[in-house]
Amino acid sequence: MSHPLDLAFEASQRDAFWLPSWATLVDEEGLCFWHSQRPEPMLNTGVCLRGPQRRAKLQRARARMGPSSQWNLAEPSLEQGVEADLGAFGWTPGPTYTLRILNTSTPLSTSEVTVAPVSDRRSLLDAISVADQAFGRGLQPVPEDRIQQELRACTGDLARVHRFVGYLDGEPVSYGGLNSYPQLKVGFLWAGSTLEHARGRGAYRAVLAARLHRARALGLEIVGLYAKHDTSDPIVAAMGFRPLGQMQQFLAD
């Protein structure tokens, strides 16, 4: 039986409130995915697949999801035979992740890094620039519709997306996001990253501390993330994150 927090974090992934208007959500019993005409895996992703008639569900998803698509299946969906069913429609195992959780009251040391929330166009572009460079995507032009969509999502009194940028000597060098799920009482951390030349100076920790502070202010007691085994997992483990469940990614051939 899955741990209640494992189920809560899977449910947080199904709550795709952040999806842009050009993506379509399908969410029903035992199946959740979204699809888009844009050839981006993040906009053609499945996050729940279980129960009877899995292959029929996959057939429907395959017809709608673009060729650059993926499934991010948390432990509750990793039922016997699911890998073979996904393989029959062209999705094969990719990276594995550990669900790691942390109490928002966890103290973290400070550093010389100045952290600011994303609040306007300039800080949003700083955040995107850091993430693109840190994750090896290179600097890419940002479409105007994306800028406006993401600004609406992370500004205003009712925002559920919270983004922070860390600066060293005025240069944006670190970044991290937090999505809040008040009904689930958890926060989900994403895109934590630091530029290579700024590592070892407490930038990641400083941005994490800002996200924990915001989560506490929102009344959340637990934050978590799916940490990739060979990259972020050892980093967050060293900061006190506890392991819980697993997540397996499946990628289109």
Side-chain angles (χ1 to χ4, degrees):
M1 182 177 294
S2 298
H3 191 282
L5 279 173
D6 210 347
L7 291 167
F9 277 98
E10 186 198 48
S12 76
Q13 303 308 285
R14 297 181 71 156
D15 184 358
F17 69 90
W18 54 270
L19 274 181
S21 58
W22 51 86
T24 301
L25 173 67
V26 176
D27 191 359
E28 55 194 51
E29 183 68 29
L31 178 67
C32 182
F33 69 95
W34 47 85
H35 58 94
S36 168
Q37 294 296 319
R38 299 194 182 191
E40 301 175 34
M42 188 177 71
L43 297 179
N44 292 274
T45 295
V47 295
C48 177
L49 175 68
R50 59 174 177 268
Q53 299 183 321
R54 275 201 312 255
R55 290 211 174 191
K57 294 171 182 175
L58 280 168
Q59 187 173 27
R60 291 177 52 211
R62 178 77 278 182
R64 300 186 188 184
M65 297 168 77
S68 298
S69 59
Q70 61 190 11
W71 288 83
N72 300 329
L73 296 184
E75 200 154 296
S77 284
L78 294 178
E79 298 176 330
Q80 184 175 4
V82 70
E83 181 177 327
D85 288 346
L86 284 159
F89 290 92
W91 287 289
T92 57
T96 54
Y97 300 75
T98 297
L99 172 59
R100 286 192 175 268
I101 60 173
L102 185 70
N103 284 22
T104 59
S105 59
T106 303
L108 292 175
S109 58
T110 59
S111 72
E112 59 187 312
V113 177
T114 300
V115 180
V118 169
S119 59
D120 55 24
R121 183 190 186 90
R122 180 67 265 164
S123 54
L124 175 64
L125 291 174
D126 285 346
I128 292 172
S129 172
V130 170
D132 283 350
Q133 293 178 79
F135 289 109
R137 296 189 289 262
L139 292 173
Q140 303 290 332
V142 185
E144 185 61 30
D145 57 354
R146 177 185 173 189
I147 293 172
Q148 296 306 318
Q149 174 85 20
E150 296 192 10
L151 272 178
R152 285 193 296 270
C154 69
T155 56
D157 294 339
L158 299 178
R160 293 178 56 193
V161 180
H162 310 272
R163 309 168 80 148
F164 297 88
V165 184
Y167 295 86
L168 273 172
D169 301 321
E171 177 194 0
V173 298
S174 191
Y175 166 61
L178 163 73
N179 285 4
S180 63
Y181 298 90
Q183 290 185 327
L184 298 170
K185 303 186 185 304
V186 300
F188 186 77
L189 305 175
W190 52 277
S193 51
T194 301
L195 299 184
E196 187 173 2
H197 72 272
R199 292 171 187 168
R201 300 176 66 180
Y204 187 104
R205 185 180 294 268
V207 171
L208 174 59
R211 290 184 285 173
L212 291 181
H213 184 270
R214 177 63 61 85
R216 288 196 303 274
L218 295 169
L220 306 177
E221 296 181 357
I222 297 288
V223 295
L225 76 161
Y226 292 106
K228 194 174 181 181
H229 282 182
D230 57 353
T231 56
S232 58
D233 193 51
I235 296 172
V236 297
M239 294 186 181
F241 282 77
R242 307 187 305 278
L244 192 57
Q246 298 292 312
M247 191 265 275
Q248 176 68 57
Q249 191 171 62
F250 296 87
L251 306 174
D253 288 344

